[in-house]
Amino acid sequence: AIYASHVLEHSPYGQHSSLVEHNIAAVLRDWHRVLRPGGLLLVAVPDLQVLASLYVNNSLTWEQRFFVMRAMFGGQADPHDFHYTGFD
């Protein structure tokens, strides 16, 4: 089995990115390559639809909205802490 929690959103979706070897299609192909037949792939990603709904909620404070934004786009504390894609 492969368990990937909050990993896939760090992969770009485009074919023309400088990170093309790490794009979503390449990552999924690699996971498929290492899984045994009948193997299990468990993926957890931030729910962009829920996060977007939270972000536009007028009852949130600026600090709460900033926290939601970081969940959407990554903490951006280092070069690997960026979200390139969103899923729901």
Side-chain angles (χ1 to χ4, degrees):
I2 294 175
Y3 176 64
S5 180
H6 295 266
V7 173
L8 197 56
E9 66 272 14
H10 295 272
S11 296
Y13 58 85
Q15 298 298 319
H16 301 290
S17 167
S18 63
L19 302 172
V20 71
E21 68 275 5
H22 301 292
N23 73 15
I24 292 172
V27 169
L28 292 174
R29 275 192 305 273
D30 202 41
W31 288 348
H32 182 263
R33 179 185 63 80
V34 299
L35 271 176
R36 291 182 177 165
L40 188 62
L41 173 62
L42 303 165
V43 178
V45 292
D47 188 326
L48 189 57
Q49 186 172 5
V50 169
L51 291 170
S53 295
L54 285 169
Y55 187 80
V56 298
N57 183 332
N58 289 330
S59 69
L60 263 61
T61 66
W62 181 90
E63 291 85 4
Q64 292 168 325
R65 191 169 281 116
F66 186 77
F67 181 82
V68 171
M69 183 195 65
R70 291 189 73 215
M72 293 171 78
F73 300 109
Q76 302 184 12
D78 62 64
H80 304 287
D81 194 13
F82 284 80
H83 293 178
Y84 292 96
T85 53
F87 304 92
D88 60 3

